Each structure stands twice: as C-alpha cells, then as structure tokens.
Amino acid sequence: MERKEKMKKKKSALRLFLVMIFVCLLLPVGLAACSSDEDIIPEEKGVLSDFFEKSFPIEKEGEGTNVKNVPFSGFDNQENVCVVINSYEEFKSVYQGNEPLPEVDFSKNSLVIGRAWLNVGKKYQKLIVEQADHYTFITLRFTNLSDAAWAVMTYYYYWDLIPKFLPQTIVTNIDGSTTMSPIIVSSEEVKSFFEAELPITRLKT
C-alpha cells in the first residue's frame, strides 16, 4: 500500500510539472495575441488623428455634437453616413476643406469615415468590417456611459484606418440597428469595372 501511495504521488507531481511546462510555453503566445495591432499605432494614424481633429466637429465625451456640416461630400441630408476611401484621388474628391491632406498608404489601407445618429451617453470604440454575399457589413461599437440621457439624440463622428478592402453595398450596424450607406467609388474604378465586365464593341467603318 505504501508503495502504491508513493507511485500515486510521483504521478501527480509529474502531471503538475507537465502542466506547468505547458502553461509556460503558452504564456508568451497568449501575451503576443493580446498585444496584437492595438498596441501598435502606425505613424499614419497619428497624422490622420491630427487631421480629423481639425476636420471633424469637436465632441464632448458622451454628448456627441449637434454640428452636421463637415467639409466632406456624402454627408449631406443623411443622419447615418459611412464612406470608404481607397485612393488619394478619392480622398481629394471627398474632402472640401482647406487643411492639407495627410499622406496615407492606400495600397495597404482603407480609410473609413462616417457619422452616427444615436442617443446621448455613448462613446465610440471601434469598427469591424466583414464582407459576404455582395455586401460589406460595417459594425460600429459604442460604449454606454453611466450618466446617459436616453431621450436626447446627437451625432457621433468616427474614422479608422484598416487593412485595405474593396467595398460593395455597405450595410452599417450601428448600436444594434442596420442602415444602408453610400460609398464613394473613383471614376478609375468605375472605368476598370465596365472595361472588365462589358463586351468590347467596335464601330464599323
């Protein structure tokens, strides 16, 4: 009996030792996954942040803003707006202000800008992009603040620089409600689309 007890203790100690080694091996991987891209702020994002501080209305945390006029096309006469910019030419055609445009590497990134019409008492966090069935789904994440005044509506402006994607019909999911949003497509993209999709016709001479 005493020998069996010793064997059991040895096996338990061995199991514990193996578990500790396994945890130690996984720990660096877990830490790397947690850090991800959120801890790495590209220089472009810093430049864009300065640009949008001057180009978007100043908001109070949890109070948004009542300002509707912004120096960007596509924002007129709409409460909820979401615009995807994939080239410098598009950026230039959309922006109608006087600030110099920041440099953005559009070969790798897409710039998403927009506005949400929501209750007072929220704080914008981030957006998530998913594509399926000829649609681009953009989900906007907001935090509910404790001192919210739910009866009052306000505007929240947002922007983000994310890995490049080609937008299709955009559906935005804003705080649980969905809406169709316009997108801006450059004339070069339209030309390329029709050249690829339509048959070539030649004029008879």
Side-chain angles (χ1 to χ4, degrees):
M1 288 289 292
E2 190 176 338
R3 188 173 180 182
K4 285 184 179 180
E5 286 296 323
K6 286 183 179 179
M7 289 294 291
K8 281 183 182 179
K9 287 181 181 179
K10 283 184 179 179
K11 285 181 180 179
S12 297
L14 181 61
R15 283 198 195 102
L16 181 61
F17 178 70
L18 291 173
V19 167
M20 289 177 67
I21 290 176
F22 184 68
V23 169
C24 289
L25 288 172
L26 282 181
L27 190 57
V29 176
L31 289 173
C34 289
S35 62
S36 69
D37 293 336
E38 292 182 2
D39 294 336
I40 304 168
I41 302 175
E43 187 176 338
E44 285 176 304
K45 275 204 170 185
V47 174
L48 280 167
S49 181
D50 294 339
F51 171 78
F52 282 108
E53 279 182 12
K54 298 173 184 176
S55 302
F56 271 170
I58 297 172
E59 301 176 14
K60 291 184 180 179
E61 186 171 298
E63 295 181 24
T65 178
N66 290 323
V67 179
K68 189 173 183 180
N69 297 322
V70 291
F72 293 90
S73 61
F75 281 71
D76 299 335
N77 303 318
Q78 296 183 72
E79 305 294 357
N80 296 309
V81 182
C82 185
V83 177
V84 179
I85 301 170
N86 266 326
S87 70
Y88 183 79
E89 289 71 25
E90 289 177 23
F91 200 3
K92 190 175 179 180
S93 67
V94 171
Y95 182 59
Q96 300 168 340
N98 299 318
E99 294 294 326
L101 289 178
E103 291 186 10
V104 179
D105 185 358
F106 285 110
S107 66
K108 297 177 182 178
N109 303 300
S110 293
L111 176 61
V112 182
I113 63 175
R115 177 177 64 212
W117 175 246
L118 291 168
N119 294 102
V120 167
K122 296 182 181 293
K123 181 180 179 183
Y124 172 72
Q125 279 190 316
K126 63 178 180 178
L127 61 85
I128 298 169
V129 176
E130 297 174 296
Q131 292 185 291
D133 300 327
H134 307 292
Y135 289 93
T136 297
F137 298 92
I138 295 182
T139 302
L140 303 177
R141 294 281 174 85
F142 287 84
T143 299
N144 291 326
L145 302 180
S146 57
D147 55 348
W150 302 112
V152 182
M153 300 289 285
T154 188
Y155 292 113
Y156 297 91
Y157 287 86
Y158 62 89
W159 67 271
D160 205 348
L161 189 67
I162 61 176
K164 186 161 183 138
F165 70 99
L166 296 177
Q168 302 181 74
T169 302
I170 290 182
V171 179
T172 49
N173 181 5
I174 305 172
D175 199 40
S177 62
T178 58
T179 181
M180 305 294 280
S181 300
I183 61 172
I184 292 177
V185 183
S186 70
S187 57
E188 282 301 315
E189 286 176 328
V190 173
K191 180 181 175 185
S192 300
F193 171 79
F194 282 113
E195 284 179 349
E197 298 296 329
L198 293 181
I200 298 172
T201 57
R202 300 181 186 277
L203 293 174
K204 293 182 180 180
T205 54

